Amino acid sequence: MNAPLLSVESISRRFGGFIALEGVTAAFEANKVTAIIGPNGAGKSTFFNVLSGVLAPSAGSIRFKGRDITGTPQHRFAHLGIARSYQITNIFPELSVHENVRVAAQAFRARYDIWRNRAVMTELDDRADAALAAVGLGGRRDGTAKFLAHGQQRALEIAIALVADPELLLLDEPTAGMGPEETKEMVALLERLAAERTILLVEHKMKMILGLSDRILVLHHGRLIADGSPQHIQTDPEVRRVYLGQNDGYA
Amino acid sequence: MTASTSSIASVMAGPAGHRGWRARLAAWRVPLSILALCLLPWLLPSNALAVNVLVYGLLAVGYNLLFGYTGLLSFGHAAFFGAGAYVTGIAIGRFGVPWFAALLLGVAAGAALAFVIGLLSIRTRGIYFSMVTLALSQLVYYTALQASSWTGGENGLRGFTVAKLDILGWSIDFLDPIKKYYVLMVFAAAALWLVSRILNSPFGAVIEAIRENETRARACGYDVERTKLIAFTLSGLICALAGTLFALHLAIVPLDILHYQTSGMIVMMTLLGGAGSFFGPFVGALAFLLMEDVVSLWTSHWQIVVGTVFILFVLFLPKGIWGTLIAWRADR
Ligand SMILES: Nc1ncnc2c1ncn2[C@@H]1O[C@H](COP(=O)(O)OP(=O)(O)OP(=O)(O)O)[C@@H](O)[C@H]1O
Ligand SMILES: [Mg+2]
């Protein structure tokens, strides 16, 4: 087996007396799609927040590409090669669609430069256009981000993450709030991404997860209760009891 | 359209609207603003008003960089305005420093003070940030009040009149109001050029991103606190320049310059003109000063009227006078 791209060792996260994540240990190989499922409040988003530096773990450590990155400030994560989308759409609403992605690409070229004119950095424009094209928003580049439809805003957020060319992509419920038509488009996008990237994906839509992922982790009350192939997870009695049973509509 | 020309439009135009027209305006904003400032003394009823619009407008321009473009509501910017004015006045009056060196000292001191106050306040958010900047600027106010042997305390700082400016062998009569105006304007013009440069730079894109969504900016890989601190310092630097120009112009520094009412006035001028618009601060300064002049003629409670107008603006014209005009023209 290859050395894992990412590994977490006994990760816990407390909020006051409440334990949102407890003793989670797992390793993730490159070029695989791993889904993380679990009931509401299971700690999925908290797990992502720890993996993307938004929250420091209360205990445990995170290794990425063999380096211990526990306690690294959040803004360094994009530079390490970890990019994410949020459960609730998180874009620059008043900026143009193109500028949303361009400014994300700029973080790797110029952050404190007050002298150059940014309009001469044309390679950033091209990278932004490429990322927009990859998520199917090429035609909307000059519109204002807040006027995009919900599904397009979610795709824009993925373009913002993609333009960083991350080695690890964390997607927190990319189809949240989408209707069937928008979900179909998002699934098609995720299938394209799955072919070439390492992805961790939080989702509730079981059918979609089973089609997309190489592996599934199940969280329940902050603990990892199952970890295995989609076939294995579907038949796991404990998982059926806490999760799948409640989600017959999806399963 | 090639990628690069269309990108200039989308970068410069900012929020929605007809990007072509706004991009052209943005490309010419520095020369157009300087032209407007050149004409100001001939358009306004008095030279005194023109100088005040120039100085307070520049002050609001500095504030706008932080409030309008970075999205931080500071209630302490009087401190930087005052620091520039006092340091320039003290340098000339007490140490006989030549005027231009005194100006540079005032700007440096204001920027340094902004760096320190920024360092102490930038990690707080929202209303807490406003309160911390207010408290720290009050500290500066009381320090100036106590250090009266240096600052003149409540009587203000006097005795540093600059009557003549020697520039590269030329001697300019600084007591001639029109000549004085144009000398001060050269510095305001340089500051406008600097601000425009900042706004067009990669850094300018980052501060706007932070204003739009701090969390997303951080996730994109930007050190939000550090960026804010730089923006805060640059903003303080421009406000300090306005302070030194104010001192050179009046030849007095009243203690009031550091009062929190001055900080409030800066916020009002910026909002009246249009936060986040390039020329708006000058329009806001003019509107504020005109209102103050006119209303104080018939009631001593002019602040009530100005306050009411301000509230109406916040409620019904949040883009301010200039910002609304630009948006209205862009939508046609
Ligand atoms: N910043 C916080 N402060 C306090 N409690 C928190 C915080 N973030 C999350 N929690 C709590 O931790 C638990 C796990 O939350 P989390 O958002 O990780 O769940 P989730 O699995 O993503 O759920 P969902 O499916 O609803 O998105 C919840 O009970 C939540 O209330
Ligand atoms: Mg969640």
Side-chain angles (χ1 to χ4, degrees):
Chain A
M1 188 176 134
N2 301 327
L5 180 66
L6 171 79
S7 60
V8 295
E9 180 72 35
S10 311
I11 289 281
S12 298
R13 173 69 208 198
R14 277 175 242 286
F15 296 110
F18 180 78
I19 301 172
L21 215 53
E22 194 175 12
V24 174
T25 298
F28 303 92
E29 271 177 76
N31 301 315
K32 292 267 154 62
V33 177
T34 309
I36 294 150
I37 63 171
N40 293 116
K44 305 181 295 295
S45 295
T46 303
F47 187 49
F48 267 25
N49 285 338
V50 168
L51 293 183
S52 59
V54 176
L55 298 171
S58 311
S61 67
I62 312 164
R63 296 184 79 79
F64 183 66
K65 293 195 284 180
R67 262 179 61 197
D68 188 341
I69 60 163
T70 321
T72 303
Q74 188 195 345
H75 66 86
R76 294 294 319 153
F77 276 67
H79 299 275
L80 292 173
I82 301 177
R84 68 170 295 181
S85 74
Y86 288 79
Q87 184 167 355
I88 295 166
T89 311
N90 206 336
I91 57 174
F92 303 111
E94 301 282 345
L95 301 183
S96 76
V97 171
H98 177 264
E99 176 64 6
N100 263 268
V101 187
R102 197 207 62 83
V103 79
Q106 190 196 293
F108 308 96
R109 301 302 308 277
R111 283 170 290 159
Y112 306 108
D113 182 347
I114 64 168
W115 286 117
R116 239 179 322 166
N117 191 328
R118 64 193 193 237
V120 306
M121 304 169 82
T122 50
E123 99 276 20
L124 295 182
D125 295 316
D126 301 341
R127 289 186 55 189
D129 282 327
L132 285 173
V135 304
L137 284 177
R140 307 300 303 267
R141 75 189 293 281
D142 292 326
T144 303
K146 67 174 177 189
F147 295 131
L148 291 179
H150 173 73
Q152 293 176 322
Q153 292 193 9
R154 308 239 46 165
L156 173 60
E157 196 177 345
I158 291 179
I160 291 173
L162 276 182
V163 83
D165 194 16
E167 283 169 85
L168 175 65
L169 188 56
L170 307 173
L171 303 174
D172 197 349
E173 300 198 30
T175 69
M178 286 188 181
E181 206 43 52
E182 287 183 329
T183 303
K184 224 197 270 169
E185 281 176 33
M186 180 56 76
V187 171
L189 168 60
L190 295 178
E191 274 163 358
R192 273 180 276 138
L193 294 179
E196 54 192 27
R197 293 194 180 267
T198 313
I199 299 178
L200 297 194
L201 172 76
V202 168
E203 258 304 337
H204 281 295
K205 293 172 181 159
M206 271 317 283
K207 220 174 17 203
M208 164 182 166
I209 294 166
L210 294 173
L212 268 173
S213 22
D214 302 303
R215 173 185 168 200
I216 298 179
L217 305 189
V218 186
L219 281 174
H220 184 49
H221 292 317
R223 290 169 170 281
L224 194 58
I225 60 163
D227 176 351
S229 68
Q231 296 72 18
H232 171 83
I233 295 297
Q234 269 179 298
T235 52
D236 186 297
E238 172 79 350
V239 175
R240 291 204 76 87
R241 192 178 62 76
V242 307
Y243 186 59
L244 297 179
Q246 311 168 347
N247 282 275
D248 281 338
Y250 291 124
Chain B
M1 206 193 255
T2 69
S4 65
T5 54
S6 64
S7 74
I8 292 170
S10 67
V11 166
M12 306 267 275
H18 290 198
R19 292 178 194 280
W21 183 80
R22 294 186 79 169
R24 276 198 301 281
L25 187 69
W28 287 91
R29 63 192 174 189
V30 175
L32 287 175
S33 300
I34 292 173
L35 181 65
L37 293 181
C38 279
L39 298 176
L40 210 56
W42 314 101
L43 297 175
L44 295 182
S46 75
N47 273 323
L49 181 60
V51 175
N52 279 334
V53 171
L54 182 76
V55 171
Y56 286 117
L58 180 62
L59 175 61
V61 164
Y63 184 69
N64 193 30
L65 184 60
L66 186 73
F67 176 61
Y69 290 98
T70 319
L72 292 175
L73 179 58
S74 157
F75 273 136
H77 262 49
F80 317 129
F81 188 48
Y86 272 109
V87 169
T88 299
I90 292 170
I92 295 173
R94 185 171 282 238
F95 299 105
V97 174
W99 70 275
F100 187 67
L103 179 145
L104 292 181
L105 279 175
V107 171
L113 182 66
F115 179 78
V116 172
I117 291 187
L119 210 56
L120 294 170
S121 60
I122 226 83
R123 274 172 201 283
T124 56
R125 300 261 181 88
I127 190 72
Y128 299 101
F129 173 77
S130 308
M131 291 298 118
V132 172
T133 52
L134 174 63
L136 292 171
S137 70
Q138 284 299 92
L139 209 65
V140 174
Y141 174 85
Y142 284 107
T143 307
L145 181 63
Q146 294 301 319
S148 55
S149 60
W150 286 87
T151 62
E154 277 179 330
N155 299 321
L157 181 69
R158 285 155 200 276
F160 61 92
T161 307
V162 177
K164 257 188 357 187
L165 298 184
D166 294 311
I167 305 171
L168 306 171
W170 288 57
S171 185
I172 297 174
D173 176 10
F174 203 58
L175 298 176
D176 176 339
I178 275 291
K179 284 184 184 155
K180 178 157 80 178
Y181 177 87
Y182 283 109
V183 169
L184 299 181
M185 201 205 77
V186 169
F187 290 99
L192 282 177
W193 173 81
L194 174 68
V195 170
S196 178
R197 189 95 215 186
I198 294 171
L199 294 177
N200 284 341
S201 72
F203 181 81
V206 181
I207 58 175
E208 287 193 63
I210 289 175
R211 178 194 65 200
E212 287 306 312
N213 187 341
E214 201 176 307
T215 317
R216 186 24 96 188
R218 200 176 278 114
C220 284
Y222 292 108
D223 185 339
V224 170
E225 279 68 35
R226 190 162 165 197
T227 308
K228 282 181 176 176
L229 180 58
I230 296 171
F232 195 91
T233 306
L234 289 170
S235 164
L237 183 146
I238 306 282
C239 292
L241 175 64
T244 67
L245 300 184
F246 180 87
L248 290 173
H249 156 56
L250 272 192
I252 308 172
V253 183
L255 182 62
D256 276 357
I257 196 176
L258 284 173
H259 200 269
Y260 65 79
Q261 281 187 0
T262 305
S263 293
M265 179 196 72
I266 302 171
V267 179
M268 283 197 222
M269 285 175 169
T270 309
L271 269 163
L272 285 179
S277 68
F278 189 75
F279 193 66
F282 288 102
V283 177
L286 175 62
F288 185 94
L289 294 168
L290 277 179
M291 249 193 311
E292 182 183 318
D293 277 359
V294 172
V295 180
S296 61
L297 285 181
W298 53 268
T299 166
S300 59
H301 301 298
W302 64 271
Q303 287 172 329
I304 297 178
V305 178
V306 172
T308 311
V309 170
F310 175 69
I311 290 168
L312 291 175
F313 262 81
V314 171
L315 291 177
F316 301 112
L317 218 58
K319 285 181 183 159
I321 300 166
W322 192 249
T324 307
L325 277 175
I326 299 269
W328 175 74
R329 175 62 183 77
D331 286 342
R332 285 160 65 88

